[in-house]
Amino acid sequence: MSLFGGTIKTLEHGLDFASAKNKAISNNIANVDTPHYKAKNVQFKDELHKFMDEPLAAKRTHPKHLTFSAGNPQQPYRTSNNSQTVYNHNGNNVDIDKEMAELAKNQIYYQALIDRLNGKFGSLQTVIRGGR
């Protein structure tokens, strides 16, 4: 039985994505002066579209119910290297302004997910205390 109907699992995947993206951005910023370093990016949208195109698989309680597919719940994102561009004379392609903007955006996304998760647990706490 799921208390939140899969919301916690979805938020968990979102936090995993935000954590992986933060790690990639931090590595890019740390290697801004490393010769021939290529910037990494974590992509979620392409993986989401790939899973959206697949049929969903779910527990069917009646033969007339639609079929569903769960996709890959282990890692719903992908990390890739951008080896097509060069921004510095040493072969490095890290744009520090772009990385700092992406870091700020990812932090806002992460905080929004944490706020939502806290709201879910707050609702559960209210129910446990009998509505007080």
Side-chain angles (χ1 to χ4, degrees):
M1 179 177 145
S2 177
L3 288 175
F4 299 108
T7 304
I8 298 295
K9 197 68 167 170
T10 303
L11 291 171
E12 180 185 348
H13 287 310
L15 290 172
D16 288 344
F17 165 72
S19 177
K21 187 164 181 96
N22 193 58
K23 183 178 177 183
I25 293 169
S26 298
N27 282 337
N28 291 342
I29 291 171
N31 290 297
V32 69
D33 291 327
T34 303
H36 306 292
Y37 178 81
K38 300 299 180 190
K40 293 180 174 62
N41 189 18
V42 179
Q43 298 168 340
F44 176 72
K45 195 179 285 184
D46 293 340
E47 296 298 312
L48 176 65
H49 287 298
K50 188 168 70 178
F51 292 125
M52 295 294 286
D53 292 340
E54 294 178 3
L56 299 174
K59 182 177 179 181
R60 294 173 56 192
T61 56
H62 191 274
K64 291 186 177 180
H65 288 170
L66 298 175
T67 60
F68 295 93
S69 171
N72 181 7
Q74 301 301 319
Q75 189 176 6
Y77 56 84
R78 181 173 55 94
T79 303
S80 64
N81 283 337
N82 180 4
S83 59
Q84 304 294 323
T85 58
V86 175
Y87 291 126
N88 296 325
H89 64 283
N90 61 6
N92 189 313
N93 70 349
V94 176
D95 181 358
I96 191 68
D97 294 330
K98 179 181 171 251
E99 296 298 330
M100 295 304 283
E102 287 291 323
L103 183 64
K105 191 167 95 177
N106 193 50
Q107 287 173 342
I108 291 169
Y109 175 71
Y110 184 85
Q111 286 301 319
L113 290 174
I114 291 295
D115 287 346
R116 185 71 181 133
L117 196 58
N118 283 337
K120 286 291 182 184
F121 286 129
S123 297
L124 182 60
Q125 189 176 30
T126 300
V127 169
I128 290 171
R129 290 182 178 168
R132 291 182 271 155

